Amino acid sequence: MAIKYTFMGHATHLLDIDGTKIVIDPFFTSNPLTNVAADSVEADFILVSHGHFDHVEDVVAIAKRTGAKVISNLEITNWLQKQGVKNVHGQQHGGGFQHEFGYLKLTIAHHGSGLPDGSYGGNPAGLLITTAGKKLYFACDTALFLEMQLYGEEGIDLFVVPIGDNFTMGPDDALKAVRLVNPKLVVPCHYNTWPPIAQDGDAFAARVNEDDTEAWCQALKPGESLEL
Ligand code: NI
Ligand code: MN
């Protein structure tokens, strides 16, 4: 079993798990950090953490073109059905489900979740994925919170954490999050997309790597991948 993780810039991520393609928070069309066109993206599953524009922009188009199953909170999957997306699976944070690609639990996230048209988007979530003998925790858009320590107790192989500040944790709180989660590998996201969230990813990685935890951090450029 092999997992390939690709950072697409901002908070959009791809997973290839033994050929099963998963897209997390598809934001391609207006994403200044990627030239990848939404209509070229392959997907078997699409995971949506919350309703904000920079996480749902391309979900309807990719879902309709590929037939991928979209997994999100129930308010967002209901909204997607009204947009004509038929293949959906609703969960809520705290709840997990064994999907074909692995076990997905929606975690707490402290953030908003309003949809672009003003519809109520329920509660925002993080994504905790258990697959191929590994655990991947995407904190998604969130503030720092102490329960991250409980997710860390599961033994996290990859922790994807926002560092942009302003809308989410900044680097100082993200470093505290790494200490709480104590993962093997850390990748920062949700930064450098626009001026209010400008951050130095390599400087954050250096802070993590000099810190007194086992975690190794690598700031990926958009389009770069890691094999887990
Ligand atoms: Ni957001
Ligand atoms: Mn966001």
Side-chain angles (χ1 to χ4, degrees):
M1 299 285 274
I3 304 173
K4 183 182 179 189
Y5 162 73
T6 306
F7 176 56
M8 297 308 295
H10 193 57
T12 299
H13 314 278
L14 307 180
L15 291 172
D16 185 327
I17 303 167
D18 278 340
T20 298
K21 314 268 194 216
I22 300 170
V23 184
I24 296 174
D25 287 353
F27 175 54
F28 295 94
T29 303
S30 306
N31 185 343
L33 298 177
T34 183
N35 293 320
V36 172
D39 63 10
S40 71
V41 174
E42 295 177 274
D44 299 302
F45 295 88
I46 303 170
L47 313 185
V48 176
S49 66
H50 67 289
H52 290 162
F53 173 74
D54 55 317
H55 300 258
V56 303
E57 181 185 32
D58 294 309
V59 62
V60 172
I62 296 173
K64 285 183 176 174
R65 176 175 54 78
T66 62
K69 181 179 283 182
V70 186
I71 306 166
S72 189
N73 73 38
L74 205 58
E75 289 83 1
I76 291 175
T77 56
N78 288 342
W79 178 80
L80 288 167
Q81 285 179 307
K82 287 182 197 154
Q83 320 297 312
V85 176
K86 295 193 177 70
N87 193 10
V88 299
H89 180 101
Q91 297 183 209
Q92 292 295 8
H93 58 319
F97 187 80
Q98 185 69 46
H99 296 278
E100 291 91 329
F101 64 83
Y103 186 80
L104 168 68
K105 182 159 74 177
L106 300 192
T107 72
I108 295 169
H110 292 295
H111 193 66
S113 186
L115 286 152
D117 64 3
S119 298
Y120 176 61
N123 289 304
L127 308 167
L128 182 51
I129 302 168
T130 306
T131 182
K134 305 278 185 189
K135 281 191 188 273
L136 321 178
Y137 173 30
F138 294 82
C140 301
D141 287 18
T142 185
L144 178 67
F145 58 93
L146 196 54
E147 290 91 334
M148 285 182 174
Q149 189 169 357
L150 299 176
Y151 305 135
E153 285 174 6
E154 299 199 21
I156 304 298
D157 294 283
L158 173 66
F159 180 41
V160 180
V161 65
I163 66 162
D165 221 346
N166 195 70
F167 302 116
T168 67
M169 281 185 275
D172 291 352
D173 281 356
L175 183 62
K176 290 181 185 174
V178 170
R179 290 173 185 153
L180 290 174
V181 174
N182 197 25
K184 292 198 175 95
L185 194 58
V186 181
V187 172
C189 71
H190 213 281
Y191 69 102
N192 283 352
T193 323
W194 307 288
I197 57 172
Q199 297 293 344
D200 184 336
D202 291 330
F204 174 72
R207 287 178 71 186
V208 173
N209 294 336
E210 287 159 14
D211 198 48
D212 193 23
T213 70
E214 306 279 293
W216 178 257
C217 182
Q218 194 174 344
L220 298 182
K221 293 184 179 64
E224 283 189 337
S225 299
L226 291 172
E227 303 277 346
L228 301 176

